Amino acid sequence: MTDVPMVKAEAVHKSFGRLEVLRGIDLEVAAKEVMCMIGPSGSGKSTFLRCINHLEKIDAGRLSVDGELVGYQQRGDRLYELRDAEVCRKRSEIGMVFQHFNLFPHMTALDNLIEAPIRVKKESRAVAAERGRKLLERVGLGEKVNAYPRQLSGGQQQRVAIARALAMEPKLMLFDEPTSALDPELVGEVLDVMRGLAEDGMTMVVVTHEMGFAREVSDSLVFMDGGVIVEAGNPRDVLANPQQERTRAFLSKVL
Amino acid sequence: MANAVGLQGEAIKAVPVRHPGRWVAAIVVGAIAAYIFYTVVTAIQNDHTKQGSGWAAVGHYLFNPLIFRGILVTLELTVLAMAVGIVLGVILAVMRLSPNPVMSWVSWLYIWFFRGTPVLVQIFFWFNLNLVLKSIDIGIPFTSFWLHANTNTLIPPFMAALLGLGFNEAAYMAEIVRAGIISVEHGQTEAAQALGMNRGLVMRRIVLPQAMRVIIPPTGNETISMLKTTSLAFTASVTELFTRQQQIATATYDVLELLIVASIWYLVMTSVLTVGQYYVERYFGRGTLRGMPLTPFQRFRRILFTFHAPPPAPVEVPVSLPRGH
């Protein structure tokens, strides 16, 4: 592919105090690609995901989305930190789904969906609500338009959260362990929505423990441990025939 | 064989535990209350210092026009001082949590000073400002744009009391609002940021509305406290309720009677505020419960209704609230 990759990371480092969480991450996610990231907790995969929309600042290396640096601008050979407004604009083009949903509890499902389009993209309420209803329909919650998050099950809440991210019409979707906080019987409904999204050609980076989803839906799989990428490649190959000892050890515990 | 004994899940019929201690306590408390009540009532009844008016005087002064004018000033002062306190308090709280160190420190200093000095001193300070500052001049240096005002005309007694009470309240409100903001889970901020919302939007649309649930109860508390603290405006010769009753008492010597009149009105006003607080809390609690609890009024209507009908099945309470946008 000659296209600009949607996400490109080169030697990305990130530390929290003296703890080095990312120790040189190199990867590329092409447009319309679905990449799954797996690994033990504390391996840095969630931190990396949060770096992509600048919820965390990277300390070294280069990270860019759709050809533009995250959080900085390069003029000549100098880097300039982006102003808040610029950071916000870039974030508005990237959707993010959290482990604990983080729906706004004081708003109905529909209000959750239309808040950012109205306030950030300055859309009219009518246009935003129209798309909001369609999106709720699409995630199978057409009749929950006026429900408050507290009145919904975990799976329903996460589907609303996905719809909320989609309402901004993002070019990239980040999923941070979207099913980890769900009861086992609710995991399927969320994965189904994500599978549909992948089929529609959305570019997705998914941090997950769902090996089945990774095998069937993703185009590439990355196994992280200790802040580095241990192994990456075609998900079926990596899962069925891991080359690294650490990958084998991890997979033997989770599969 | 769980059902071998033949239990079919009948409702339990058991002799309840007796609580004789509660009866003893009730009798003791009742006796003490009756004694205090009797003493006060007869003391005022026998107050023959002047007209021997006693309780009749209380009833007489209760609807005195001067008292009413005092009540009006008290309410005005309460509302305005709380408005100053809340607006300034929210600004101070946001400043305190700002990443800008200058903002944070200015806010800290303000709270330190205004919370650390008595509100009575502050009211006196504003009231007596004209002693050191004859006029107040505000303008742009090196230009001819200057506003000039005599301190006495700029800060009349009412304004002195308002500034003293409002600025002092702001320091307390700042801490209350800050506690509310901190109580909102950080994931809410992150989710809003991830949607591209800037700091102001996140605060105004996501964090503050949720912080309200934590902010409202102590704010109601503060308002009730403020209503009574306005009586300190007496020292700045503001003619609010306390000053009015004092004026009448000095003229008529019905001192205790007028204190009771003032207390009755303070109690009435704080009671109204308590009811108001209940409904405001209900409004900001929406979305936190699966169904809304009934208001006392709704409960009362339900009781009336069920008198004429067979016992109803538990009803799902719909969440239907006026939405403010």
Side-chain angles (χ1 to χ4, degrees):
Chain A
M1 276 225 254
T2 53
D3 290 342
V4 183
M6 186 57 82
V7 179
K8 184 172 183 177
E10 296 164 276
V12 168
H13 284 73
K14 169 74 191 172
S15 303
F16 292 115
R18 243 180 291 170
L19 179 70
E20 211 178 2
V21 194
L22 299 179
R23 300 187 298 156
I25 303 290
D26 295 273
L27 62 74
E28 274 187 26
V29 184
K32 304 200 171 192
E33 179 179 338
V34 177
M35 175 184 276
C36 277
M37 306 183 82
I38 60 170
S41 57
S43 58
K45 51 199 193 313
S46 282
T47 303
F48 177 71
L49 202 69
R50 293 157 57 80
C51 288
I52 296 176
N53 67 357
H54 208 47
L55 283 177
E56 305 287 355
K57 248 185 210 178
I58 64 171
D59 298 325
R62 283 280 197 277
L63 181 57
S64 57
V65 171
D66 207 11
E68 287 178 30
L69 283 182
V70 174
Y72 301 92
Q73 194 181 31
Q74 187 157 16
R75 272 177 270 160
D77 50 1
R78 252 230 167 90
L79 279 187
Y80 293 86
E81 240 183 287
L82 285 182
R83 305 195 139 271
D84 278 350
E86 231 2 66
V87 173
C88 287
R89 190 187 61 74
K90 290 197 173 179
R91 278 191 189 134
S92 73
E93 299 170 348
I94 304 171
M96 186 154 187
V97 175
F98 299 86
Q99 182 178 354
H100 296 289
F101 332 136
N102 296 351
L103 287 178
F104 307 135
H106 58 303
M107 297 179 182
T108 63
L110 185 64
D111 285 344
N112 264 278
L113 263 67
I114 65 178
E115 179 67 18
I118 290 176
R119 306 274 162 183
V120 178
K121 285 171 87 181
K122 311 286 179 200
E123 276 179 13
S124 76
R125 179 167 289 272
V127 171
E130 168 78 19
R131 186 182 327 106
R133 275 175 217 281
K134 273 190 196 142
L135 280 169
L136 283 176
E137 202 76 54
R138 176 169 166 191
V139 298
L141 294 170
E143 79 286 11
K144 297 290 186 185
V145 168
N146 291 318
Y148 283 96
R150 210 60 62 97
Q151 298 165 316
L152 301 172
S153 74
Q156 291 172 330
Q157 287 190 50
Q158 193 59 298
R159 285 187 278 153
V160 173
I162 294 172
R164 175 176 70 177
L166 293 175
M168 290 296 281
E169 302 185 307
K171 55 187 177 188
L172 167 67
M173 285 283 284
L174 308 173
F175 293 84
D176 189 3
E177 303 198 24
T179 57
S180 298
L182 296 176
D183 291 343
E185 82 267 25
L186 302 178
V187 168
E189 59 190 65
V190 172
L191 292 183
D192 286 344
V193 169
M194 291 169 62
R195 186 172 287 124
L197 216 59
E199 282 161 8
D200 289 350
M202 175 62 76
T203 313
M204 296 161 63
V205 181
V206 186
V207 170
T208 187
H209 294 294
E210 295 296 326
M211 297 305 155
F213 178 84
R215 184 187 297 116
E216 290 154 31
V217 181
S218 67
D219 303 304
S220 56
L221 183 70
V222 167
F223 171 67
M224 276 180 74
D225 191 16
V228 292
I229 293 175
V230 176
E231 196 164 345
N234 180 298
R236 271 161 290 268
D237 295 347
V238 175
L239 288 174
N241 189 18
Q243 299 301 303
Q244 299 292 322
E245 186 49 47
R246 263 194 292 173
T247 318
R248 263 195 291 268
F250 175 76
L251 289 177
S252 73
K253 280 179 209 147
V254 296
L255 282 180
Chain B
M1 294 284 274
N3 281 341
V5 202
L7 278 180
Q8 298 295 320
E10 300 108 347
I12 290 176
K13 284 182 210 125
V15 181
V17 176
R18 305 289 176 202
H19 298 282
R22 292 180 188 176
W23 287 101
V24 175
I27 291 164
V28 171
V29 169
I32 294 174
Y35 175 72
I36 294 174
F37 185 72
Y38 174 79
T39 311
V40 174
V41 167
T42 49
I44 290 172
Q45 196 55 58
N46 300 329
D47 178 14
H48 293 298
T49 45
K50 195 163 172 276
Q51 313 106 309
S53 32
W55 281 103
V58 171
H60 173 69
Y61 294 127
L62 201 55
F63 302 105
N64 184 304
L66 279 181
I67 293 288
F68 272 129
R69 268 151 71 184
I71 288 171
L72 219 61
V73 177
T74 292
L75 287 175
E76 254 179 277
L77 203 51
T78 306
V79 170
L80 290 175
M82 279 314 290
V84 170
I86 290 169
V87 171
L88 202 55
V90 171
I91 294 171
L92 283 166
V94 173
M95 279 169 69
R96 185 87 185 86
L97 297 168
S98 156
N100 181 337
V102 179
M103 292 288 167
S104 178
W105 271 98
V106 167
S107 171
W108 186 89
L109 265 176
Y110 181 101
I111 295 168
W112 170 76
F113 182 80
F114 282 90
R115 211 171 49 164
T117 53
V119 65
L120 186 58
V121 171
Q122 291 170 33
I123 293 173
F124 258 67
F125 173 84
W126 294 110
F127 186 60
N128 293 308
L129 194 62
N130 65 324
L131 294 181
V132 288
L133 220 58
K134 294 292 169 213
S135 71
I136 293 171
D137 297 278
I138 298 172
I140 304 161
F142 313 116
T143 67
S144 58
F145 182 77
W146 281 90
L147 296 174
H148 172 90
N150 187 306
T151 307
N152 265 341
T153 48
L154 198 68
I155 310 181
F158 184 86
M159 188 53 93
L162 176 58
L163 291 178
L165 293 169
F167 285 180
N168 185 265
E169 186 56 37
Y172 286 91
M173 281 309 302
E175 288 296 278
I176 291 172
V177 174
R178 189 171 70 95
I181 291 174
I182 292 173
S183 78
V184 178
E185 203 203 334
H186 189 61
Q188 291 290 312
T189 303
E190 281 194 345
Q193 283 177 333
L195 287 165
M197 294 169 82
N198 61 35
R199 262 179 56 84
L201 267 180
V202 173
M203 192 51 85
R204 219 176 65 235
R205 297 288 308 171
I206 307 301
V207 175
L208 277 180
Q210 292 183 60
M212 281 304 206
R213 228 161 48 79
V214 174
I215 294 171
I216 293 289
T219 304
N221 208 24
E222 290 292 306
T223 311
I224 286 168
S225 167
M226 176 63 81
L227 192 103
K228 297 172 299 166
T229 312
T230 53
S231 57
L232 289 180
F234 159 69
T235 59
S237 57
V238 174
T239 51
E240 44 67 67
L241 178 55
F242 188 80
T243 312
R244 286 301 190 191
Q245 70 79 25
Q246 189 80 359
Q247 286 172 348
I248 302 173
T250 330
T252 61
Y253 298 108
D254 285 331
V255 177
L256 216 54
E257 286 84 349
L258 277 149
L259 283 177
I260 288 176
V261 167
S263 301
I264 290 173
W265 280 117
Y266 280 120
L267 264 175
V268 167
M269 290 190 280
T270 50
S271 305
V272 171
L273 285 179
T274 309
V275 173
Q277 180 184 353
Y278 174 82
Y279 283 96
V280 176
E281 269 176 41
R282 228 177 99 83
Y283 175 78
F284 282 105
R286 72 190 193 280
T288 58
L289 298 165
R290 279 168 189 268
M292 274 291 186
L294 296 172
T295 64
F297 182 64
Q298 287 171 334
R299 234 177 283 152
F300 179 68
R301 280 210 338 213
R302 178 154 297 181
I303 289 168
L304 279 188
F305 178 72
T306 49
F307 257 120
H308 307 286
V315 182
E316 273 283 313
V317 184
V319 182
S320 56
L321 275 169
R323 298 298 322 280
H325 282 294

